[in-house]
Amino acid sequence: MSKLNELNIASARDGLARGEFSAAELTEVYIQAIQAGRDMNAYITETPDVALERARESDARRAKGDAMGAMDGIPIAMKDLFCTEGVLTTAGSHILDGFVPPYESTVSANLRSAGAVMLGKSNLDEFAMGSANITSYYGPVKNPWKATSGPNQGKDLVPGGSSGGSAAAVAGGLAMAATGTDTGGSIRQPASFCGIVGLKPTYGRCSRWGVVAFASSLDQAGPMTKTVQDAAIMLGAMAGHDPKDSTSAPLPVPDFEALMTGDVKGLTIGIPKEYKMDGMDPEIQALWDQGIAWLKDAGCIIKEVSLPHTKYALATYYIVAPAEASANLARYDGVRYGLRVPGDSLDDMYMNTRGAGFGEEVQRRILIGTYALSSGYYDAYYIKAQKVRTLISNDFKTAFESVDAILTPTAPSAAFALGEKQEDPVAMYLNDVFTVPTSLAGLPGMSVPAGFSSTGLPLGLQVIGRSFDEGTVLNVGAALEKAAGLNLKAVTGASS
Amino acid sequence: MSLDKDTVKNIAYLARMRVADDKLEPLAGELSSILNWIEQLQELDTDGVEPMASVSDVVLPQRKDAVTDGNCQAAVLKNAPDSEDGFFAVPKVVE
């Protein structure tokens, strides 16, 4: 029974179908693992009672022959950015103190109606703003991986961010899979740091309704899983058109698992030359070269492509995202929900509440965004960034005229130590250099574990696809996963 | 672009966010370095380029102008820090 939390969605589906174990037994194993693994701080709120109730409902359905598909009875972590009815939702922020939504986000509702069992709400950077899960009001998350050598040997490492709790939970055996959200890399970068699969779907594939908003033109929910096949299964349960989100795409949800044919022969894979950056870590370059060789061996045609505006993507993102955030976060005013810090006047109450309720990184971004949108600077910053965004998006359109998918590294390094890179905000932003351009263009991108650093830490490669072509992304990702053949059990006791 | 203390104080006021006086100077430095880094966008010629507000090229859908929700006053007020007689309550704004 103790091996139950080493299963993935696909293997658990088979075991549940054969009656080898019940959803309640499976859930119990995770509840115990979560209690034993609290030191990781992967969860803000544990929901064992909700989980067991839903697991028993799943077992009852199955006993009657009414099992609902692959996600029925699968225990997952829910990033604490998804509003969940009757369960505290914090967005990792002090300003949402005590907020218990009276409604359920569309994505979490979809997963619930597919039978998924919610184990709890996973930790994240405050309002999903961060790349190391160190900005959460509820404290940092520890990566279950430890370096086996080098200067960080034995130290606590960051899990990446912002979906750091989700990534750590899946890698550390505290959830079979998890939801994440990705605005500039928040699914893919932590997936790379924790040695799991993270898929940011095409913008519009999953509804944003009921997801605490960060940057509305970029935010997208997606699955974080142990395998590529699991990502296909889980995305199928999360996705779908939702009239309550006007940017949700009115498209049918394909059977993503069935699109994974295992055959990538003849596909053309683009290698963007601008991603070979000065000072790139040779280990990352070597991993990328290895990925190219694997796809070539699998029958892909490799083609160099140019995405000439790549170097402007981060600066563009750090205008667009904070501008949208400053507008979205205006709703936290101490009136309708969450924290209120009293003041002498209404204005005073607003200022006290927002001054105390937002952490440093969120305040920085609100200030940058407010400045970029303020009179006299709007054209120079915001409109300029939106124009460059068009150029970045056009780069991808041109590239995808001649390739079927693009292969890049996911992140410029392996997981770093807690406390590193905290002094300089721009140094932290560089973590997302390979993931932000995809987000600006709204394209699907997936990080797949592909190798290890010399210090024994997992490293991911990113597959980028055409709009709404997650099928090809998953197919190419599965080919990489197969070729890499990694043993990805997190190495937690490396001190010996 | 370099922001001074007073500008930061003004932006913080526009955002209705109390920032302690001793935080203004360090924030001015951090925000200036971020804005200086963003300055690189100015070297690109973007004349005649359409600004991109959304990646989806679908026309925003319209729905019937009809009531689809409501009668949930208690649920709406449940999370309010302060409410009175079915309303959100705030500090007095009119003397």
Side-chain angles (χ1 to χ4, degrees):
Chain A
M1 250 344 132
S2 64
K3 295 281 180 198
L4 280 185
N5 67 343
E6 290 177 18
L7 298 176
N8 55 43
I9 297 175
S11 56
R13 164 181 64 183
D14 299 343
L16 285 165
R18 283 195 296 263
E20 288 167 17
F21 46 84
S22 68
E25 285 168 332
L26 192 59
T27 299
E28 281 283 6
V29 167
Y30 278 98
I31 290 171
Q32 282 166 25
I34 290 168
Q35 285 168 359
R38 282 187 183 141
D39 180 54
M40 224 188 280
N41 203 23
Y43 286 88
I44 292 173
T45 305
E46 298 170 11
T47 56
D49 297 338
V50 173
L52 277 174
E53 187 190 322
R54 291 188 193 166
R56 289 190 193 111
E57 286 167 7
S58 170
D59 287 331
R61 276 193 299 272
R62 199 174 294 277
K64 284 195 291 182
D66 294 338
M68 291 188 295
M71 291 303 293
D72 205 348
I74 301 297
I76 60 166
M78 189 67 64
K79 186 177 182 180
D80 204 12
L81 203 64
F82 293 88
C83 287
T84 42
E85 187 179 357
V87 176
L88 181 72
T89 298
T90 71
S93 181
H94 186 27
I95 209 158
L96 270 169
D97 269 9
F99 174 57
V100 178
Y103 53 84
E104 186 86 17
S105 81
T106 298
V107 162
S108 57
N110 286 350
L111 283 164
R112 189 176 168 180
S113 23
V117 170
M118 180 174 81
L119 293 163
K121 305 294 295 287
S122 48
N123 205 340
L124 69 159
D125 278 301
E126 184 179 3
F127 284 107
M129 297 179 192
S131 307
N133 212 129
I134 53 174
T135 71
S136 170
Y137 178 69
Y138 296 89
V141 175
K142 290 180 190 170
N143 192 323
W145 291 84
K146 292 262 199 267
T148 52
S149 64
N152 285 339
Q153 183 177 5
K155 285 188 190 164
D156 287 331
L157 305 177
V158 303
S162 68
S163 311
S166 293
V170 175
L174 308 189
M176 190 171 277
T179 55
T181 63
D182 190 312
T183 303
S186 282
I187 286 175
R188 293 160 284 164
Q189 184 255 15
S192 180
F193 277 20
C194 290
I196 65 166
V197 173
L199 170 59
K200 182 201 90 74
T202 313
Y203 182 82
R205 180 62 92 182
C206 293
S207 169
R208 292 182 297 106
W209 193 83
V211 185
V212 175
F214 162 13
S216 304
S217 79
L218 297 158
D219 298 344
Q220 185 58 206
M224 305 181 75
T225 57
K226 294 182 181 175
T227 67
V228 175
Q229 185 185 12
D230 280 8
I233 294 170
M234 189 166 166
L235 176 61
M238 295 170 72
H241 177 238
D242 177 13
K244 286 189 285 196
D245 171 5
S246 62
T247 61
S248 146
L251 294 172
V253 180
D255 181 345
F256 293 110
E257 200 183 359
L259 291 174
M260 291 173 50
T261 57
D263 184 10
V264 293
K265 214 168 279 173
L267 287 181
T268 305
I269 307 297
I271 309 300
K273 62 178 182 187
E274 291 81 5
Y275 282 52
K276 287 178 190 173
M277 298 185 175
D278 289 343
M280 190 168 179
D281 183 338
E283 283 191 351
I284 301 293
Q285 180 66 55
L287 179 84
W288 194 11
D289 292 340
Q290 178 65 69
I292 294 168
W294 283 330
L295 292 181
K296 211 185 246 174
D297 287 347
C300 294
I301 301 149
I302 306 297
K303 185 174 187 290
E304 187 180 86
V305 292
S306 176
L307 302 169
H309 298 94
T310 297
K311 67 175 273 209
Y312 301 103
L314 271 177
T316 303
Y317 176 85
Y318 277 97
I319 289 295
V320 172
E324 294 186 16
S326 77
N328 272 326
L329 271 57
R331 74 191 65 177
Y332 303 102
D333 56 4
V335 174
R336 289 156 296 165
Y337 31 69
L339 181 74
R340 170 182 291 192
V341 179
D344 293 337
S345 64
L346 183 59
D347 242 8
D348 210 40
M349 187 276 283
Y350 289 154
M351 298 204 50
N352 291 343
T353 299
R354 292 165 61 81
F358 293 131
E360 280 182 19
E361 179 60 22
V362 172
Q363 293 202 354
R364 262 197 295 271
R365 296 201 196 186
I366 289 175
L367 291 171
I368 289 279
T370 304
Y371 184 67
L373 292 175
S374 65
S375 169
Y377 300 96
Y378 184 81
D379 285 348
Y381 287 107
Y382 188 58
I383 297 293
K384 182 78 184 181
Q386 286 193 317
K387 287 181 171 184
V388 181
R389 187 175 179 186
T390 301
L391 298 175
I392 290 163
S393 176
N394 288 345
D395 284 355
F396 280 104
K397 281 184 187 141
T398 307
F400 277 115
E401 283 169 12
S402 63
V403 300
D404 299 300
I406 290 174
L407 182 72
T408 78
T410 304
S413 73
F416 46 89
L418 262 168
E420 265 182 81
K421 304 194 191 191
Q422 288 191 15
E423 302 307 318
D424 177 8
V426 175
M428 184 62 85
Y429 298 167
L430 293 175
N431 271 294
D432 297 326
V433 65
F434 299 126
T435 48
V436 149
T438 327
S439 295
L440 289 169
L443 301 174
M446 177 167 69
S447 179
V448 181
F452 294 99
S453 71
S454 59
T455 57
L457 297 174
L459 297 169
L461 286 174
Q462 175 180 228
V463 182
I464 304 165
R466 290 190 182 99
S467 203
F468 296 105
D469 189 15
E470 288 86 358
T472 300
V473 171
L474 288 159
N475 216 11
V476 173
L480 289 170
E481 180 183 55
K482 189 176 165 204
L486 303 179
N487 175 12
L488 283 163
K489 219 176 142 187
V491 182
T492 47
S495 51
S496 61
Chain B
M1 176 57 72
S2 172
L3 298 184
D4 59 20
K5 236 173 95 169
D6 289 341
T7 311
V8 174
K9 194 167 183 168
N10 185 46
I11 305 167
Y13 175 69
L14 289 175
R16 295 297 188 275
M17 217 156 56
R18 174 97 52 228
V19 175
D21 281 342
D22 63 339
K23 289 274 175 67
L24 289 172
E25 199 70 63
L27 257 177
E30 287 167 10
L31 298 181
S32 296
S33 78
I34 295 169
L35 289 170
N36 281 328
W37 169 69
I38 286 166
E39 277 302 298
Q40 58 177 297
L41 295 183
Q42 301 307 327
E43 71 194 47
L44 270 177
D45 180 3
T46 51
D47 283 352
V49 178
E50 265 309 293
M52 184 178 190
S54 166
V55 297
S56 45
D57 42 15
V58 290
V59 181
L60 277 185
Q62 299 199 333
R63 63 166 174 81
K64 280 210 179 91
D65 186 14
V67 176
T68 57
D69 204 354
N71 292 327
C72 50
Q73 189 188 48
V76 168
L77 291 173
K78 197 173 71 104
N79 281 288
D82 190 13
S83 67
E84 242 176 77
D85 303 328
F87 294 93
F88 293 112
V90 296
K92 192 151 88 175
V93 278
V94 182
E95 287 302 319

